Every structure is written in C-alpha cells, then in structure tokens.
Amino acid sequence: MGKVLSLNALVKVRRALRRQKKKVVFTNGTFDILHRGHVEYLAKSKALGDVLVVGLNTDASIRRIKGPKRPINPNADRAAVLLALASVDYVCFFGEETPHKVISKVVPDVLVKGADWNGGAIVGKDVVERNGGVVRTIRLTPGRSTTDVIQRVLDAYRK
C-alpha cells in the first residue's frame, strides 16, 4: 500500500527514485467516487513507468472548480481508496487550481492525462518536456465518470 506525502517529502522520495533509476509517472485529478474508469486509467498510467504519483485536489480546490456540492468524498477517504490500488504508489494533495507547482518540484519522467485533454493544454507539459520527460494521454473508459455515477444515483432515488 502506498503513502500520502507532503510535497517536501515527495521531492525527497523523487530524488531517491532518480538515483535508483526508477521511472516516475505523474497524473492528477479529483478521483471522487472511484469507479472502473479511474481504476483502468491509473493502471494504464502505472504501466508507463515504475512508480505512480497521483496529485490529488484538496476538497477546497474541488469546490472552487466543480462547485459547492463536490467533492462527495473528503480528502482522507479519496486518498485511502486510491492508495488501496496496486497501481498507486504515492498521493500528494495540492490546493491550487492546477498541479503545476507539484509537477515543477517533482519533475516526473512521464506526465499522464486523459485523452479528453488537448495536448497543448496539459498543465506541466512544458516542465516535463524541458527536462527530457514525455507526456502521454490515455483514452478514457467510455461511459464511466463520477458525474454519470452521481446522476444514476439521483435518478434511482428520486421520488
């Protein structure tokens, strides 16, 4: 099982992984109400390297981005579920609008986003490529999203 690390602790771990010649993969998201699409995406991300780091939006940053009703699950719960997956090695919370600060400090070898992101709009792409890394997109599992899960629950329990 992986660990939740502060940014400073993650930077130290990253230095050690670099010395061990481990390929570090980074992705980020809210990962609220974990579903099959998330699990498949994270497994495919991990397959691109040796160690998978997930930048996880804090509750406050999710509310700013997605509105006052989100997240459904709080920080600690979302991190615990992610870390229970074999594919996830480390989680690092970030409270900014984007993970640029985390990416800039960790400088992963591989930066991963869903294929729904325009390559030029991927935050941190500049940092990763400037340092010899690569950016990859992964096709999302069709019909699987947290928004869809929430809607199905609401539809099932409406009076």
Side-chain angles (χ1 to χ4, degrees):
M1 184 179 274
K3 292 181 174 182
V4 174
L5 296 177
S6 68
L7 182 53
N8 288 338
L10 182 57
V11 168
K12 289 177 185 173
V13 166
R14 173 60 170 128
R15 279 191 215 116
L17 292 169
R18 190 175 282 119
R19 285 192 299 272
Q20 297 167 29
K21 304 215 183 305
K22 298 285 186 182
K23 186 185 281 188
V24 173
V25 180
F26 179 91
T27 194
N28 68 281
T30 61
F31 299 101
D32 193 17
I33 306 182
L34 200 69
H35 54 74
R36 176 183 170 182
H38 289 137
V39 173
E40 291 177 357
Y41 172 82
L42 292 166
K44 289 174 184 174
S45 296
K46 173 66 177 255
L48 296 171
D50 302 307
V51 176
L52 178 60
V53 175
V54 176
L56 190 59
N57 291 79
T58 60
D59 293 347
S61 72
I62 294 171
R63 280 191 289 279
R64 286 192 308 272
I65 296 165
K66 297 189 178 220
K69 295 182 180 180
R70 297 283 296 275
I72 301 298
N73 293 302
N75 286 343
D77 292 0
R78 291 182 291 113
V81 172
L82 283 173
L83 291 169
L85 299 174
S87 58
V88 178
D89 297 294
Y90 299 103
V91 167
C92 181
F93 287 105
F94 67 96
E96 299 80 18
E97 295 291 314
T98 74
H100 196 274
K101 179 179 174 183
V102 178
I103 294 166
S104 295
K105 297 228 181 230
V106 173
V107 190
D109 300 297
V110 183
L111 174 60
V112 179
K113 285 303 285 180
D116 56 330
W117 280 82
N118 172 335
I122 295 175
V123 171
K125 176 181 181 189
D126 56 333
V127 172
V128 172
E129 291 180 343
R130 184 173 56 243
N131 287 281
V134 296
V135 177
R136 297 285 183 253
T137 56
I138 293 177
R139 189 171 359 158
L140 301 179
T141 305
R144 300 294 187 269
S145 76
T146 298
T147 301
D148 290 345
V149 171
I150 291 169
Q151 191 58 56
R152 283 196 303 277
V153 170
L154 289 173
D155 291 347
Y157 290 95
R158 279 205 177 107
K159 294 182 180 183

